[in-house]
Structures are given as C-alpha cells and as structure tokens.
Amino acid sequence: MAAALTAARLGHRVLLTEETDWLGGQLTAQAVPSDEHPWIETPHVSSGYRELRNRIRDYYRRNYPLLPEVAAQEVLNPGLGNVSKLCVEPRVALAALEEMLMPYVSAGRITVLLDTVPVGAETDGDRVTSVTLRGTRTGELTTVTAPLIADATELGDLLELTGTEHVIGAESQDETGEPYAAPVADPTDQQAITWCFPLEYRPGRSTSSTSPPPTTTGRPTPTPSGRARSCPGRRSTSTP
C-alpha cells in the first residue's frame, strides 16, 4: 500500500495485487491491532501512516455514536486495547485504506487486482523483468512487466520465484559479526504462528467445545520450502 501510494503520488502508474478480497494485511485480514513502538503518536512517524491513523479515527467520529468526550480525544483508541494505541475493527481499517487509494484508482494511476497471486517471474541478471499473476477465482494468467517490481508479500513470495539469494531464521556470529548472534545458524528460529479470530458475546447461549490436544512444541514447523507460516494474512505485490 505504501509503495503503491508513493509511486502514484510521484506520477507513476501502479498495479497492486492482493491474494484475497481485502487489502490491508495485519490491520484487516489478520484482525490484529498494529504492534507499534511507543513513539507512534509523536512526530516520529511517516506522514502516510499518520494519515491512515487519522482517517481511521475520523471514520469512527463520523459514523459511530461516540460520546462527545470520547470523540474529542486526540489519540482516540476505539477498541481500548493495550497492545496498540489504535485498536480498531478490520472493516474500518479497510474503509480508510480504500479511501486513501480512491483518488488514484479513479484517476487510473492505481489498478487493484484482488484474489490474485504471483506464480512465476522472469529475471535478467539481478533485475526482475516480469511477473506472472494468477486469479485465484478465475485461474486466469496474466504476465506484467514494469521498470520496478516491489515484493510486499507476507512471506516474500518473489524470493523463491526469482531465485533471489535470501536467508531465513537466525544467522550465526561468523556470518554477521554480531556479538549476541547465535554461535550456530538456525533456520528454524522464526516467529511463532498466531491464529486470530473474532469473538461475539451472546447472552444465554452456550457455544463451548472440547479443548484441542496440547501442542508438543512452541516453535513453528517450516514448510517444505523452509519458510514458517504465520497468520493467514494478505500478500500484495505492487508494480509501478
């Protein structure tokens, strides 16, 4: 999103693809409040991200029956969560993101393809020259070329498709020279998997179920390609 908006503002035409039917990643598909540093509400934040946060808060002020004293809060946190200073509903974050895109979509500078994944790529030396996309609903294949292709997927899909050199997990002290790095490289040292889901309180209704079996390990299991799967979220590729 940030790459697509920046390129469009600079006068370029952009094709933005999204694996599912919602843009937004963590704020929308993953239903997770953004995990941020403590200075996020200070001037030390990018102008684009500040605009997004302001748009989300203004959406609540315009459309939700907030108490006057709540609506007047400069740092409004609709969900009152403590993991983030801005806990919101995924659909509100999506509305704000689409609003930011709309001036450029309507002007033809940004084209959004939902339900679309990269399945192939061509390279010339160290440069990616084209990407082949597949519609997950239609199966239709489309090959696009661009002077700049940005991989903004959650798992770095183009790394494997382009054969780009990359490292996963924890590197060793010998590889990086970091004094606190592990003595031996560990490719399985990756962020744990998190499953997020919404809850609804229904008085008088029991929806209990049997407990799942206990897990035997707290570490993620890599896929055959060596990558650990994280939250089921958005993958997007922007090509200005």
Side-chain angles (χ1 to χ4, degrees):
M1 288 286 298
L5 285 168
T6 299
R9 288 165 181 158
L10 293 174
H12 300 289
R13 294 178 58 203
V14 180
L15 175 65
L16 177 64
T17 70
E18 164 53 45
E19 181 180 15
T20 64
D21 58 352
W22 271 27
L23 291 166
Q26 182 174 337
L27 277 175
T28 59
Q30 295 179 4
V32 182
S34 50
D35 186 8
E36 300 154 333
H37 57 74
W39 304 279
I40 197 65
E41 298 297 345
T42 70
H44 305 294
V45 62
S46 68
S47 59
Y49 191 44
R50 168 66 62 192
E51 179 186 355
L52 172 61
R53 296 172 72 85
N54 289 340
R55 286 180 181 270
I56 290 174
R57 289 181 168 124
D58 288 341
Y59 188 98
Y60 276 97
R61 294 185 179 108
R62 294 194 313 266
N63 299 292
Y64 282 65
L66 305 180
L67 295 173
E69 59 270 27
V70 174
Q73 295 175 4
E74 182 179 358
V75 186
L76 174 63
N77 189 353
L80 294 178
N82 58 14
V83 69
S84 171
K85 295 182 182 297
L86 187 61
C87 296
V88 302
E89 297 164 275
R91 62 182 180 181
V92 174
L94 177 63
L97 288 168
E98 290 179 336
E99 188 177 53
M100 292 178 69
L101 284 174
M102 191 49 62
Y104 306 100
V105 171
S106 61
R109 291 205 171 276
I110 294 180
T111 299
V112 179
L113 295 182
L114 301 176
D115 302 303
T116 301
V117 295
V119 294
E122 296 291 334
T123 61
D124 182 7
D126 288 336
R127 190 175 187 84
V128 181
T129 56
S130 68
V131 174
T132 298
L133 307 169
R134 178 176 61 84
T136 57
R137 293 181 181 271
T138 64
E140 182 179 353
L141 296 176
T142 303
T143 298
V144 296
T145 60
L148 177 63
I149 298 173
D151 183 351
T153 61
E154 183 181 5
L155 298 176
D157 292 356
L158 293 188
L159 292 175
E160 187 172 353
L161 293 175
T162 60
T164 300
E165 301 89 343
H166 61 283
V167 175
I168 63 174
E171 298 163 295
S172 68
Q173 291 178 352
D174 292 340
E175 292 175 296
T176 64
E178 298 176 37
Y180 299 108
V184 179
D186 183 1
T188 66
D189 185 1
Q190 303 172 21
Q191 183 175 349
I193 295 173
T194 302
W195 290 97
C196 304
F197 50 88
L199 294 176
E200 180 183 16
Y201 175 62
R202 296 188 178 184
R205 179 174 176 179
S206 175
T207 56
S208 60
S209 61
T210 58
S211 299
T215 58
T216 57
T217 177
R219 306 184 71 176
T221 302
T223 63
S225 61
R227 301 179 299 178
R229 296 288 178 175
S230 183
C231 291
R234 306 298 178 189
R235 306 181 190 178
S236 58
T237 304
S238 55
T239 57

